[in-house]
Amino acid sequence: MRFRAFVLGLMAASALAASPAAAQHRQQVRRYNSQGRAYYQGPLHVTLAGGTGLYNGDLGNSPGDNFYGLAGSLGVLYRLTPHLHLGSEFSYVPLSARDHLTERGLAFSSHNGLGTVFLRYDLLNDESVFAALSGEPPIFQVYVQGGAGLLLYDPRSYMGTSRANSSTSFFAPERNDYPALAGAFPIGGGFSVHLFDRWRAGLEGNYYFTTTDQLDDISNKRLGGASANTDGFGTLMLKLDYSLE
């Protein structure tokens, strides 16, 4: 509970920080692209997303072995060029799964907080950003993105084939410093649809490469040398985007 309260508090603090940031970007910055066309940087966008996470590690990568939980993110996005955006997000992504090898019978549950910075590239043109035009934003936009960040993870492993509950008997942790920090490197993409005024909505998927083999609290120590790779996870999110200008 304390871990989740910490992550939710961090996300709330980022929301409060967006208010002064919005004031700094009320006037969009004018720039020129390689063809000499004037365009505007900005404005600042606030994003809110909800979805789920999918585990990929020593216990397997089958969607059917996941015990899905509700993930969420809060972020900001700022246009640098007609196609390129700079963004940052704070996310909470619970992960839980059972072993794909029934004879081992392992499972885990993990609470994960995540902070990332990323670059997003829009694949379709947006004529509304150019100074000489008064066009509308595209109804449909497709994008790819990638970045880097830090993952705060707090896993617990156990014997079982179902979701952990209050009566689950967990193993002693593999390390004594949970919650622990690891690097996380997301790559993904998505699409968005213009709803009305300053609002967009869409679907986004990302895969996160990490620098830890203990995202599930199961590594070489527990598997007796059977673990050779770091763990990772994916997210699938429904996302709302609101332009502050």
Side-chain angles (χ1 to χ4, degrees), residues 47-196:
T47 63
L48 178 67
T52 193
L54 298 97
Y55 160 79
N56 178 27
D58 298 318
L59 302 188
N61 57 10
S62 170
D65 290 327
N66 280 261
F67 306 125
Y68 294 99
L70 180 61
S73 74
L74 180 65
V76 293
L77 194 67
Y78 184 76
R79 182 186 299 276
L80 300 177
T81 75
H83 286 273
L84 190 65
H85 304 255
L86 176 66
S88 180
E89 286 184 343
F90 289 100
S91 307
Y92 170 67
V93 184
L95 296 172
S96 184
R98 63 190 170 204
D99 203 334
H100 72 291
L101 298 177
T102 55
E103 61 271 20
R104 286 193 308 206
L106 296 168
F108 84 100
S109 178
S110 179
H111 299 293
N112 309 285
L114 183 67
T116 56
V117 176
F118 59 90
L119 289 172
R120 168 181 143 178
Y121 187 83
D122 290 343
L123 299 180
L124 304 179
N125 290 329
D126 183 353
E127 292 294 325
S128 69
V129 306
F130 291 102
L133 299 174
S134 57
E136 293 293 321
I139 294 177
F140 189 79
Q141 183 61 264
V142 182
Y143 60 88
V144 293
Q145 61 187 27
L150 288 176
L151 173 71
L152 185 66
Y153 62 104
D154 187 15
R156 297 183 297 174
S157 56
Y158 59 96
M159 291 292 295
T161 57
S162 59
R163 186 188 298 271
N165 54 48
S166 58
S167 63
T168 299
S169 178
F170 295 98
F171 295 137
E174 283 200 334
R175 51 193 294 176
N176 59 11
D177 61 346
Y178 292 135
L181 278 174
F185 305 93
I187 184 169
F191 68 89
S192 68
V193 178
H194 186 224
L195 299 178
F196 53 87

Side-chain angles (χ1 to χ4, degrees), residues 8-24:
L8 292 174
L10 193 61
M11 292 173 66
S14 68
L16 294 174
S19 296
Q24 295 173 10

